[in-house]
Amino acid sequence: MSFAKIPKPDKLIAIRYEPPETSWMDTPTVFRPGTWSYSGAAKNLTALDMPNPRAWQPSDDDWKLPENWKEIILEGLRERLEKYRSFRLFMDICVRCGACADKCHFFIGSGDPKNMPVLRAELLRSVYRRYFTESGKRFGRLAGARDLTVDVLKEWFYYFYQCTECRRCSVFCPYGIDQAEITMMGRELLNLVGCNINWVIEPAANCFRTGNHLGIQPGGIKDMLEFIADDIEDRTGVRVEVPLNKKGADILFVAPSGDYFADPGTYTCMGYLMLFHEIGLNYTFSTYASEGGNFGLFTAHEMAKRLNAKIYAEAKRLGVKWILGGECGHMWRVLHQYMDTMNGPAAFLAEPVSPITGTRFENARSTKMVHIAEFSADLIRKGKLKLNPARNDALRVTFHDSCNPARAMGLFEEPRYIIRHACNHFYEMAEDTIREKTLCCGSGAGLGNDENMEMRMRGGMPRAMAVRQVKEKHGVNRLACICAIDRATLPPLMEYWVPGVTVSGVHELLANALVMTGEKDRMTDLRGQSLEGKTVDGTL
Ligand code: SF4
Ligand code: SF4
């Protein structure tokens, strides 16, 4: 299949915000190339025991739905209304105040009213009214209700896969209506009839088979981590250990697999390894719990639970005291908001205490899982790390709050604290684009694929404009973040909207500055670029 050509930035930014001539219920969904994601491949659905595996694409007229598809969806909707009180509430309480309308990056970047959170929710709410409320049953369209048809199902697919479940809109809703939860329900219902996207289902199937999204076998993980250790030795002269599946270690470390396998995540992984070596941490990686990310979250609650179970199971098998988690986004939404009740309780683990500083992480008393930014910020605060921030002087850094650690955890200060100690040049983006109001990368929740590139550039445009502002004002050339999806999706976004800005994890910056015992004279940063911002051979 060929990818649609993306318009140049000056064309893409000419966005029409006028509503269409027809009312929203009468405006058909058009699957325009570049704005949707390919269907889930049958082999991946089969691997996960999911219904209706078949060959189809969203642009086909015939979606090859099961004969009784409508009954399946309505029964699924009934079950979820009974099971999730929040969902029932969100179906009933919106007062159409419009406070959320212009807060979604996909609406800002596309001008399509169905990307307003209030209207995105209405796509599902209108069907709820028709079949589950008295007014909807009696008055139909007059009461904002409509029949469930194949066209409605296609509309759900298009717009629930144009929501990154980032939850920015919910920050502005006076009732706290969480569109991400509604999108998750919409996707769950679509999954019941086999309508899903491959960029979600393939990683989920891989994860089920091998423990990680990329489908890497244990030998591959070992090799990759050893390569990373070789690179560390090359840059620093220090050989670090790569403990794998070590029974009796104090701590199980779980990171997103993107950090082992793709730049610039691998530099973040170098940072983890260097830090743990320097403080002498008794920890282990696992080739079974080899992924913290969880694309089950973008599929269904039950799938998220199923894929996440390996983390506690492995902690138990290895006999560790507690779990440390790497720089990932949605992984932390699952771990912080669901894991305790979904897969726990984890009474077999101890309340996390840093073996280096003695700090008790009371916030992780229940999950037994600590975020690496909290762990490292504590090391700095207690004076356990020797840092030379001048090694990052070629970088003028800004920080992108990744949606999930920011809005699902409130993790705002720790990454900034690390950056401020590791770098001399740090600049914040505009206040209404950071912390809990952070703007999404536009490619999360499974939408970071190539065929959806135009929509990604549209959805990421507001974030990119905030970066452009600090680039123009302060000469910013590095965008730091604490999410593996961001590390994969922000580089093309920057290349498109703000060329000259590169992307990194926070632990890459920390490790650049980290003065290690027995290190050689550090001539380069972790990327092999000279500390003056040029490569050693002067070619860059
Ligand atoms: S993408 Fe984010 S802001 Fe937009 S509707 Fe979804 S959760 Fe809300
Ligand atoms: S802000 Fe909340 S109540 Fe207002 S329109 Fe949006 S979802 Fe409805």
Side-chain angles (χ1 to χ4, degrees):
M1 242 172 267
S2 62
F3 299 134
K5 214 164 171 262
I6 322 174
K8 294 264 185 275
D10 58 330
K11 292 269 180 312
L12 201 74
I13 208 161
I15 300 157
R16 276 187 75 239
Y17 289 104
E18 293 92 54
E21 315 231 306
T22 46
S23 83
W24 73 265
M25 282 198 201
D26 301 319
T27 306
T29 306
V30 179
F31 283 80
R32 200 162 53 75
T35 66
W36 52 274
S37 306
Y38 295 154
S39 63
K43 68 173 175 51
N44 296 321
L45 269 69
T46 305
L48 290 165
D49 261 341
M50 291 177 72
N52 202 18
R54 68 210 184 280
W56 71 290
Q57 282 303 339
S59 51
D60 295 345
D61 286 338
D62 180 5
W63 279 21
K64 300 180 190 156
L65 297 169
E67 219 166 277
N68 58 341
W69 69 269
K70 196 162 156 179
E71 286 74 37
I72 295 172
I73 297 263
L74 290 175
E75 178 55 20
L77 183 52
R78 187 192 62 71
E79 275 173 24
R80 283 158 183 77
L81 288 165
E82 281 172 13
K83 191 169 172 189
Y84 301 105
R85 262 182 74 206
S86 55
F87 179 48
R88 179 94 201 203
L89 205 63
F90 296 159
M91 289 294 97
D92 282 327
I93 63 171
C94 173
V95 293
R96 321 285 198 290
C97 69
C100 63
D102 59 351
K103 304 303 186 295
C104 175
H105 47 287
F106 284 116
F107 172 66
I108 300 170
S110 71
D112 183 340
K114 289 183 191 171
N115 273 323
M116 291 179 181
V118 54
L119 192 41
R120 199 190 307 280
E122 206 62 18
L123 305 180
L124 186 46
R125 215 179 259 131
S126 52
V127 172
Y128 157 72
R129 285 197 200 99
R130 167 68 185 81
Y131 297 95
F132 297 91
T133 69
E134 228 16 74
S135 59
K137 284 179 194 165
R138 279 168 192 253
F139 303 115
R141 195 166 162 140
L142 271 180
R146 62 176 178 169
D147 288 342
L148 178 60
T149 64
V150 170
D151 286 342
V152 168
L153 196 78
K154 291 184 174 183
E155 190 182 53
W156 283 5
F157 184 94
Y158 192 68
Y159 290 102
F160 291 138
Y161 287 105
Q162 277 185 12
C163 166
T164 40
E165 304 179 6
C166 77
R167 305 172 76 232
R168 183 169 198 261
C169 48
S170 68
V171 171
F172 298 88
C173 173
Y175 291 87
I177 294 174
D178 189 344
Q179 176 57 44
E181 296 278 339
I182 299 173
T183 293
M184 286 161 75
M185 289 299 151
R187 291 188 182 191
E188 283 203 16
L189 295 174
L190 287 161
N191 271 290
L192 295 177
V193 291
C195 296
N196 29 48
I197 65 171
N198 204 48
W199 203 250
V200 168
I201 294 302
E202 184 149 317
N206 283 341
C207 218
F208 188 54
R209 190 167 47 87
T210 64
N212 59 75
H213 290 155
L214 300 168
I216 312 292
Q217 303 286 349
I221 294 170
K222 182 172 184 304
D223 286 350
M224 204 58 219
L225 288 171
E226 290 294 342
F227 286 141
I228 290 175
D230 291 344
D231 283 348
I232 292 172
E233 189 170 10
D234 180 57
R235 309 282 194 272
T236 68
V238 177
R239 183 75 204 175
V240 303
E241 292 298 312
V242 180
L244 271 170
N245 305 327
K246 185 171 122 188
K247 285 201 170 179
D250 284 346
I251 292 166
L252 168 64
F253 180 61
V254 180
S257 63
D259 281 353
Y260 324 139
F261 288 101
D263 293 348
T266 47
Y267 304 118
T268 306
C269 193
M270 286 168 88
Y272 304 146
L273 287 165
M274 289 164 65
L275 176 73
F276 299 156
H277 172 89
E278 185 56 25
I279 61 175
L281 195 68
N282 180 14
Y283 80 107
T284 185
F285 282 92
S286 160
T287 53
Y288 172 60
S290 53
E291 175 71 71
N294 188 333
F295 273 49
L297 182 71
F298 312 137
T299 312
H301 284 81
E302 284 306 314
M303 188 67 75
K305 177 177 177 177
R306 185 173 165 190
L307 298 183
N308 203 55
K310 63 180 180 281
I311 298 179
Y312 279 154
E314 187 66 338
K316 195 170 205 170
R317 186 181 76 85
L318 295 174
V320 300
K321 292 180 181 155
W322 53 274
I323 309 164
L324 185 62
E327 292 187 18
C328 187
H330 70 278
M331 154 178 161
W332 279 100
R333 176 145 195 237
V334 176
L335 302 181
H336 192 72
Q337 294 198 316
Y338 300 126
M339 182 167 172
D340 191 21
T341 46
M342 218 177 222
N343 305 111
F348 61 94
L349 291 169
E351 186 179 330
V353 174
S354 170
I356 313 301
T357 65
T359 297
R360 190 169 290 275
F361 295 99
E362 289 180 7
N363 56 321
R365 184 184 295 144
S366 185
T367 58
K368 314 290 197 303
M369 189 140 185
V370 175
H371 194 290
I372 191 159
E374 297 172 297
F375 181 75
S376 301
D378 174 61
L379 291 170
I380 296 172
R381 200 166 70 89
K382 298 279 173 62
K384 300 293 180 189
L385 302 181
K386 195 168 167 199
L387 299 175
N388 177 4
R391 287 178 180 170
N392 281 315
D393 273 358
L395 302 176
R396 301 175 83 80
V397 182
T398 192
F399 178 65
H400 162 67
D401 290 271
S402 306
C403 297
N404 284 302
R407 281 190 279 270
M409 292 184 77
L411 193 79
F412 305 131
E413 301 312 326
E414 291 84 348
R416 289 178 166 79
Y417 187 82
I418 296 170
I419 295 170
R420 285 202 166 93
H421 283 81
C423 307
N424 287 320
H425 308 294
F426 174 59
Y427 306 93
E428 289 281 16
M429 285 182 271
E431 203 50 48
D432 58 349
T433 73
I434 57 172
R435 296 194 166 83
E436 73 273 21
K437 293 178 188 160
T438 186
L439 285 156
C440 181
C441 66
S443 302
L447 308 187
N449 53 65
D450 288 347
E451 66 269 21
N452 186 41
M453 195 57 91
E454 179 183 324
M455 211 57 211
R456 289 173 56 187
M457 295 303 110
R458 288 185 180 282
M461 185 268 284
R463 165 44 79 221
M465 291 303 122
V467 177
R468 182 185 283 182
Q469 208 174 33
V470 282
K471 182 182 183 226
E472 285 169 0
K473 194 166 172 194
H474 303 292
V476 159
N477 58 6
R478 176 61 60 88
L479 179 59
C481 60
I482 48 169
C483 167
I485 287 183
D486 283 337
R487 283 190 283 281
T489 62
L490 289 173
L493 187 75
M494 291 299 105
E495 202 180 312
Y496 183 80
W497 289 113
V498 204
V501 175
T502 51
V503 176
S504 73
V506 167
H507 279 76
E508 177 186 339
L509 300 175
L510 179 67
N512 274 340
L514 183 68
V515 179
M516 298 178 79
T517 311
E519 69 178 15
K520 66 179 186 186
D521 268 353
R522 298 261 287 268
M523 306 302 290
T524 69
D525 63 13
L526 300 190
R527 299 185 180 201
Q529 294 184 344
S530 88
L531 294 177
E532 285 77 44
K534 296 191 175 107
T535 52
V536 174
D537 62 7
T539 54
L540 197 93

